[in-house]
Amino acid sequence: MSDFFSDQALASITEHVLPGLWPLLLAFAVCMIAVPLAIRLSRRYGVVAQPGGRHAHANPTPVLGGLAMWIGFAMALLVFLPRDTQTLAVLVVSGLAMGLLIVDDRWSMPPVVKLGVQVGLALLAVAGFGIEIRFFSLPGGHLIQVGLLMTPVSVFWLVGMQNTVNFLDGADGLAAGVVAIVALILMLAAGQLKQPEVVQLSGALAGCCGGFLLFNFHPARIFMGDSGAHFLGMALGMISILGVAKVAVAFALAAPVLALALPIADTGWAILRRRRQGASVATPDRLHLHHRLQSFGLNPRQTCYVFYAASALLGALGLTLFGHGRILAVVVVAAAVLTSTVAADLLQHAGWRIPARWLRRLLAEPPPAR
């Protein structure tokens, strides 16, 4: 414990991670104020998700949460981040992702058009602003230059992040909570690499997710919609690229990839499953992992807890590569608490009983009255 709270550890956190706290708090506060306004705008202009079909909610629900999140995120960037190309790129491209996908929330884009928008946004970030994955780093200081594959690899990553968050957005509070955790993981990794701008960007992203969660956790008063999911996916993808663009660190993308391992795997399996069935990969269904967990008996809150615990645990494992080994122990304990809470709640509500007669002897259970 004394090693965990040593002067050196606390000084490192204060110097390299604390700068991300202020954008986090501002984005949280602004988003918290903007969400009620977004709810009013959604109802006024008919940007509302109707119940039925693959939607599990019972009442019409506003879906302009992405607008509120981007406003909080943008305000934090404008106040705390330097006015450079890097900040402008994240602000503009993520804003376009949010703005263009509002059309999909209101009128529903054809799948081909939607994919074209995703690829166009990714190309704008890569070719227009130079947000590129230039190399992969391996242990021992070995670098694998991407070379001619730089553009397609970067575009694939950004399109993949948009779809991963979009597919993850299937339960109240799920996508925003997982992205908030991944943003915090990125903030810690960037702090260790002494990248203050990435620390602040990650803090702002985590903050706007936190402010939105106040209204989106089950039962949700507002959804993020495709506009919010694509904003979060694009912002997360760009920030993770910026976090490794200037530093050759072994497995530099390990932290965000591991933190998102569960939704990435679910997205990959959804694509394979739909292709095997001869359906379009854009065809919606209720066979994602979060849907299966709810079919198993978990409610939306419990489903979120499972994903939160998995994301935090896997992300903390990735952070050990950046010298944050102590964090893994803390996250393991927190994940165990969440898991046991969900399990105990399930047992209580389902009325399950585990037969163990020997416990009666240990507990000195009195014999039944005659």
Side-chain angles (χ1 to χ4, degrees):
M1 185 65 68
S2 60
D3 183 47
F4 188 90
F5 292 104
S6 65
D7 293 339
Q8 183 178 0
L10 291 175
S12 177
I13 292 175
T14 302
E15 180 182 357
H16 302 304
V17 180
L18 191 60
L21 177 62
W22 314 123
L24 187 153
L25 293 175
L26 179 60
F28 181 93
V30 172
C31 183
M32 184 174 60
I33 295 171
V35 168
L37 300 177
I39 291 175
R40 294 181 183 179
L41 284 174
S42 294
R43 290 172 176 162
R44 180 174 181 179
Y45 293 103
V47 191
V48 175
Q50 299 296 334
R54 68 186 183 96
H55 300 293
H57 58 283
N59 301 309
T61 306
V63 292
L64 278 182
L67 175 62
M69 285 193 290
W70 182 81
I71 290 173
F73 181 71
M75 185 63 68
L77 264 59
L78 293 173
V79 172
F80 291 103
L81 272 291
R83 306 295 194 271
D84 57 16
T85 304
Q86 180 173 294
T87 304
L88 181 65
V90 177
L91 188 63
V92 170
V93 180
S94 66
L96 283 173
M98 180 275 302
L100 292 174
L101 268 298
I102 287 178
V103 177
D104 185 56
D105 290 327
R106 180 63 179 86
W107 292 286
S108 187
M109 292 180 180
V112 175
V113 175
K114 190 173 179 179
L115 178 61
V117 171
Q118 294 173 348
V119 174
L121 290 167
L123 283 172
L124 175 62
V126 174
F129 291 99
I131 310 297
E132 301 167 321
I133 299 175
R134 297 184 175 88
F135 56 81
F136 292 101
S137 52
L138 300 175
H142 302 292
L143 294 180
I144 300 178
Q145 298 292 337
V146 179
L148 296 176
L149 295 177
M150 182 167 54
T151 296
V153 167
S154 303
V155 169
F156 178 80
W157 171 258
L158 293 174
V159 171
M161 283 295 97
Q162 292 176 78
N163 283 291
T164 296
V165 178
N166 193 33
F167 285 176
L168 183 62
D169 184 30
D172 295 351
L174 183 57
V178 169
V179 171
I181 291 171
V182 179
L184 292 174
I185 296 291
L186 280 171
M187 187 170 74
L188 290 169
Q192 188 67 23
L193 297 176
K194 299 180 181 179
Q195 296 177 311
E197 290 187 19
V198 179
V199 168
Q200 292 175 315
L201 285 168
S202 302
L205 189 62
C208 71
C209 289
F212 177 68
L213 269 175
L214 295 178
F215 302 86
N216 182 240
F217 209 59
H218 184 76
R221 294 170 54 190
I222 186 172
F223 296 152
M224 67 173 63
D226 279 5
S227 58
H230 283 74
F231 152 62
L232 291 180
M234 179 57 71
L236 188 62
M238 295 177 71
I239 293 171
S240 60
I241 290 177
L242 292 172
V244 303
K246 299 178 181 178
V247 182
V249 177
F251 298 116
L253 282 176
V257 169
L258 279 174
L260 284 169
L262 209 58
I264 288 175
D266 186 44
T267 299
W269 175 243
I271 293 172
L272 291 175
R273 179 180 68 244
R274 293 167 186 176
R275 293 307 301 162
R276 287 176 60 187
Q277 295 173 348
S280 168
V281 295
T283 302
D285 58 36
R286 292 185 57 81
L287 296 175
H288 288 289
L289 181 57
H290 48 271
H291 293 134
R292 293 180 181 273
L293 287 174
Q294 292 183 57
S295 298
F296 177 71
L298 273 65
N299 61 38
R301 288 180 179 237
Q302 294 166 342
T303 301
C304 288
Y305 295 152
V306 170
F307 270 83
Y308 294 170
S311 299
L313 187 60
L314 293 170
L317 183 63
L319 281 175
T320 60
L321 298 173
F322 297 87
H324 290 290
R326 300 179 184 88
I327 292 176
L328 181 59
V330 176
V331 172
V332 167
V333 173
V337 170
L338 276 177
T339 303
S340 61
T341 301
V342 171
D345 199 38
L346 273 177
L347 289 171
Q348 182 178 1
H349 285 83
W352 294 350
R353 297 293 183 269
I354 300 176
R357 295 180 179 177
W358 55 273
L359 280 177
R360 298 177 183 176
R361 300 175 185 175
L362 292 177
L363 297 173
E365 181 178 323
R370 295 181 179 179

